[in-house]
Amino acid sequence: MSNHLVQYICGIADNSLILGQRLGELCGHGPSLETDIALTNISLDLFGQVRSYFQYAAELQGDQSSEDTFAFLRKEREYRNVLLVEQPNTDFAYIIGRQFLFDVYHQLFLEKLQSSSDQTLAAIAKKSLKEVTYHVRFSSDWVIRLGDGTEESHNRMSAAIEDLWIFTEELFSCTELEKEMSNSALGVDVSLLREAYLNRVHAVLNEATIAIPDVKYFQKGGKQGIHSEHMGYILTEMQYMQRTFPNMTW
Amino acid sequence: MSELETKSLEERFNQRIANDEKIEPKDWMPEKYRKTHIRQISQHAHSEIVGMLPEGNWISRCPTLRRKVALLAKVQDEGGHGLYLYSAAETLGISREEMFDQLHTGEAKYSSIFNYPTLTWADIGTIGWLVDGAAIMNQVALINTSFGPYGRAMIRICKEESFHQRQGFEIIMTLMNGTDEQKAMAQDSLNRFWWPALMMFGPRDADSPNSEQSMLWKLKRKTNDELRQAFVDQTVPQAELIGLTIPDPQLKWNEDRKHYDFGDLNWEEFWQVVHGHGPCNKQRLDARKNAWNNGAWVRDAAMAHAEKNANRELKQAV
């Protein structure tokens, strides 16, 4: 059971880890100083959450594991983040689109995780929810600004939502582990979040004058450890120090 | 305004500064005072945002989560410093866009230290320890500068910078307590950054034409050479404490002067980098220009959306 819980926690943390890593790549390169600072701040929030999850996972594991062995020393297949968060920083519309499509899910997920029968997990969810509520506001505001801005920004925002939409269904597909965790009241049944998610996302897209994508085929795999081609490069960079100089204190 | 009136205003202005009064944006000030402050404050702001780049270069590769969070927070602080400083300069009648334009065309300078590459993790420690350390030497004195908004911005900036410096020193100390490979990484980093850090204090006093006027306006409280000496005196014992060797064979304690004697800087390299030909000048400026140019459509969209909203509100009101 404990091992399954550790795996479950890692899956949650990996979403924040990989999205935080993607946002970290942008620091100093934003379209304005204000957005630069805001995106760095979101990255910082996500890494803060990651530390809480991994520290707890290490404690449960009870061996030589630490937050850093979880973050830096697993193989690609062992990371269980959804495909959405590993998508690249193509342009500001993609960055905002990716953020928005994840944030709305993240908020709904944490709202439920607050009622986990595991008190530590519930406490992390409660603390993270405050931060994520701000993330949703930031990314929703920008989707609306770009969608209902100039012709160019509208086209770019629409293209980003259209392209990223194929990764949204994975958020709600329950793995065996997620089913087990929600059955035992430790975790969240993500399939139940779909309706509320679509309602919230549609409301923002409507205000942004962006058409809801009409997509019939979706991409999944991250939750099973089958990632996109981007993932290897993300990990190569992220794990560089720990792989090049193993077993050292930094 | 007659010449006589201007002269009397200027005398009163100088007297206020001598009395340690603050000059505020709406107060009368000589044109030269305004221009000099715009130049210095905007260059300081540019240094903060260009300074985000060499450190930002390591965010994706930090060795631990703790270090990653700390580095993100540090680089974010620098963006915040840039914001206050641009705002302080704006009170003198220049827009942020104009200042960016001056940066992008090369008309405005930023601290040359950021034109050196960050090649190893140790460089992140060295920059915190030496570069933020050198910056504090300059900036603490500016808390009491005559222009109010600049002095006030400096209070917060100095608090954060001194935290950054301790954080940097702690990174280096951790390396020096580590393996031989880690110690070598720290020493190599010091070897590369020592002289550029000393160059941060600017040309020798004899070659620094703005000093006298800046001293009068309390925009400068100590000369370049005095600050450089104070920095060497402060840093050498820190390096010795953790077992690092300062890469200067002429470095020696002078009992008579009660200061360290140290070797001369490579002034040819100093001017080369100042004039835009350092290892990363082009890269740094290109990164800033790209961020600005690629972000134009985003800023345009935000303006267009705000305008649409304002029109909608107006229609509703009617």
Side-chain angles (χ1 to χ4, degrees), chain A residues 92 142 144-154, chain B residues 295-308:
Chain A
F92 192 70
W142 272 103
I144 293 166
R145 242 175 242 137
L146 296 178
D148 186 30
T150 62
E151 193 185 340
E152 180 180 8
S153 71
H154 175 84
Chain B
W297 69 270
V298 177
R299 297 189 302 275
D300 290 346
M303 293 299 281
H305 179 71
E307 211 168 296
K308 281 183 191 177

Side-chain angles (χ1 to χ4, degrees), chain B residues 80-101:
Chain B
H81 297 171
L83 263 186
Y84 319 139
L85 290 166
Y86 284 123
S87 305
E90 278 176 318
T91 65
L92 290 166
I94 185 167
S95 68
R96 211 200 288 182
E97 285 70 23
E98 285 173 275
M99 288 185 268
F100 279 157
D101 195 51

